Amino acid sequence: MKIAITATDSSLDDQVEARFGRAPYYLFVDTDTMEYEAVQNPNVAAGGGAGIQSAQLMSDRGVRHVLTGNCGPNAFRVFSAAGIQVIVGVNGTARRVVEQFKAGAFTASDQPNVADHFGMGGGRGMGMGRNRRS
Amino acid sequence: MKLAIASGKGGTGKTTIATNLAVTLADKGNIVQLLDCDVEEPNCHIFLKPEIAKVAPVTVSIPKVIESKCTGCGVCADVCEFNAIAVIKGTVLIFPELCHSCGACTLFCPENAFSEVPREIGSIEEGTAYGIGFVHGLLNIGELMSPAVIRGVKKAGGDPDILIIDSPPGTSCPVIEAIKDADFILLVTEPTPFGLNDLELAVGMVRELHVPFAVAINRSDVGNEEVKEYCRREGIDVVLEIPDDRRIAEAYSKGEMVIHAIPEYHGTFDACWTRMTDLHETAIRAERQPETATEW
């Protein structure tokens, strides 16, 4: 089965990245063979909608499960439409997480666990809305 | 004359200057209108306490899929610059709050499978206060498209003798929308390293717009001399200096106009206006000069 894990870097021994849409890497793992492909996230610096685009990428690559730290409402809507199961609150090395997944340690989330723009850093302080291109 | 009051840094005193200048000029018999274009955090009304006579919604157009025509080809998602569309298993998902109403999806759809529907993102309120016409815009919470509401505010403005625009802070799209067609821009800053850094950004922006401008320094007797030195070096006129006057802070904290709490400031704002109109006329003359030269 093909799953995707958000990661801080490009190997299975790297940590799971908490942010979904703006994770530095996605690791696409075949759970039967443990073969994987690391893909640099093209949406890291997107002005907005990073979660949507990244979720579209998961769908285009035929992923069945996504393992990550947090998932916001926009990405969640795409996952629902694509029939992709999202598992949130995951941490540790990607390799360990895959093992846990194979052992059936996780249940898929039925709703987003954070609000939109949660992973954009620094909270939404004064000026947050003013520096972006809109 | 259309004057825009802007600043790189927030909290420098744009609203204080905009409101007090507007009422000072109205007191002298001018027909004045103030447009509060800081639609994310409008605050002129706190000081002007306008009577609102008219409220109107602001809408933007967002795409709607005509499902009988859609083939799920995904062109719409590809052309969307703002990631507002995803196409999953042949189904188009639209994220309205990310949509910038550019119309690319409708234009590029090979099946003509989009219609456009209005979506309310804010409102415009019009009224009067202290003898001036007043308009401000309110962007709904959670919305991003402030330029659309700013356009609404400016459209609601009339053709008075003097139109004063209170701009949002910064140098991004909402600011450009607010100030781009002004006759003159007043950049408000404070004499601090932050004030100077953001003033330099704002000057870069205004020069790009080719609109004549000048600088106002608020709390001008605190901080350091670097802002003044910068203006001297760059040949920028400082047309207003407001001292760090405790009485102003007290009036502000009660939502009172400076010129009402401390009438002597009438003269300060009036003198600033005279200097700006002089600079504006000089700029217009300088612009006409080359045409005269080519005629010869």
Side-chain angles (χ1 to χ4, degrees):
Chain A
M1 190 187 349
K2 196 169 180 182
I3 66 169
I5 304 164
T6 55
T8 56
D9 214 324
S10 59
S11 105
L12 273 184
D13 296 311
D14 290 310
Q15 297 290 310
V16 173
E17 164 67 41
R19 298 167 300 172
F20 171 69
R22 291 176 194 277
Y25 281 88
Y26 297 113
L27 306 179
F28 295 98
V29 184
D30 183 330
T31 53
D32 302 322
T33 62
M34 286 305 274
E35 278 175 15
Y36 71 98
E37 182 190 357
V39 173
Q40 210 164 359
N41 181 2
N43 307 308
V44 166
I52 296 165
Q53 288 305 304
S54 298
Q56 170 106 55
L57 180 69
M58 301 298 133
S59 171
D60 293 346
R61 285 190 162 247
V63 166
R64 301 284 303 279
H65 289 82
V66 171
L67 283 66
T68 186
N70 298 314
C71 177
N74 286 346
F76 197 86
R77 203 179 134 205
V78 177
F79 288 138
S80 300
I84 295 172
Q85 305 269 300
V86 194
I87 293 157
V88 297
V90 168
N91 57 54
T93 66
R95 189 180 302 280
R96 186 167 152 263
V97 162
V98 177
E99 296 301 339
Q100 286 174 313
F101 173 79
K102 285 163 77 173
F106 300 126
T107 35
S109 180
D110 58 359
Q111 58 185 35
N113 69 327
V114 292
D116 52 353
H117 301 122
F118 185 84
M120 286 184 72
R124 298 200 75 172
M126 171 134 178
M128 168 64 208
R130 293 164 184 261
N131 297 322
R132 79 176 63 195
R133 189 165 65 105
S134 62
Chain B
M1 165 98 151
K2 193 187 279 187
L3 168 72
I5 299 178
S7 72
K9 184 180 178 300
T12 51
K14 285 181 298 302
T15 296
T16 301
I17 293 173
T19 53
N20 285 283
L21 190 59
V23 176
T24 297
L25 296 171
D27 287 350
K28 290 185 71 188
N30 297 291
I31 297 173
V32 182
Q33 195 173 38
L34 176 65
L35 309 182
D36 189 346
C37 286
D38 189 358
V39 302
E40 290 176 63
E41 291 161 13
N43 56 358
C44 289
H45 64 281
I46 294 169
F47 303 96
L48 292 169
K49 300 171 184 67
E51 269 182 46
I52 300 298
K54 191 180 161 194
V55 182
V58 177
T59 60
V60 293
S61 291
I62 60 159
K64 186 170 184 285
V65 182
I66 304 163
E67 290 184 10
S68 58
K69 290 186 179 178
C70 178
T71 60
C73 69
V75 167
C76 50
D78 289 343
V79 299
C80 181
E81 260 308 287
F82 305 100
N83 299 337
I85 302 180
V87 178
I88 301 296
K89 297 182 172 172
T91 302
V92 177
L93 301 181
I94 294 167
F95 295 84
E97 70 281 6
L98 291 170
C99 175
H100 282 52
S101 306
C102 72
C105 50
T106 308
L107 187 66
F108 284 93
C109 175
E111 311 298 332
N112 285 322
F114 281 106
S115 63
E116 291 189 346
V117 293
R119 189 171 79 91
E120 190 174 327
I121 60 160
S123 56
I124 305 291
E125 295 185 341
E126 295 175 53
T128 51
Y130 299 119
I132 66 167
F134 175 78
V135 185
H136 72 173
L138 300 146
L139 182 70
N140 290 347
I141 290 170
E143 295 294 344
L144 302 172
M145 288 295 294
S146 55
V149 180
I150 294 169
R151 276 193 290 278
V153 173
K154 293 177 80 171
K155 216 170 145 191
D159 187 22
D161 299 342
I162 299 166
L163 187 77
I164 296 180
I165 292 167
D166 191 15
S167 161
T171 52
S172 62
C173 296
V175 181
I176 307 287
E177 192 63 52
I179 69 171
K180 64 183 179 190
D181 54 356
D183 299 314
F184 196 89
I185 297 169
L186 181 63
L187 294 176
V188 187
T189 190
E190 59 186 27
T192 63
F194 289 121
L196 175 60
N197 179 76
D198 293 356
L199 174 64
E200 289 182 29
L201 296 174
V203 167
M205 167 185 71
V206 170
R207 283 187 171 150
E208 203 68 37
L209 292 171
H210 302 289
V211 177
F213 68 99
V215 162
I217 306 177
N218 196 9
R219 296 182 286 271
S220 59
D221 48 352
V222 300
N224 59 36
E225 292 294 305
E226 285 178 16
V227 166
K228 282 182 199 165
E229 281 163 20
Y230 165 77
C231 290
R232 247 194 314 272
R233 214 163 50 235
E234 293 286 325
I236 300 165
D237 293 273
V238 177
V239 293
L240 174 65
E241 290 186 45
I242 302 173
D244 185 31
D245 185 338
R246 187 187 164 90
R247 295 173 301 169
I248 294 179
E250 283 172 4
Y252 182 90
S253 71
K254 289 184 271 187
E256 289 174 10
M257 301 279 291
V258 176
I259 52 167
H260 292 158
I262 323 160
E264 69 203 57
Y265 278 102
H266 258 113
T268 311
F269 289 106
D270 194 28
C272 163
W273 175 252
T274 306
R275 290 194 63 187
M276 286 192 287
T277 49
D278 286 349
L279 286 170
H280 178 236
E281 275 169 32
T282 310
I284 288 174
R285 268 202 304 276
E287 214 171 77
R288 284 188 187 140
Q289 211 73 45
E291 287 173 31
T292 323
T294 42
E295 271 169 26
W296 277 95

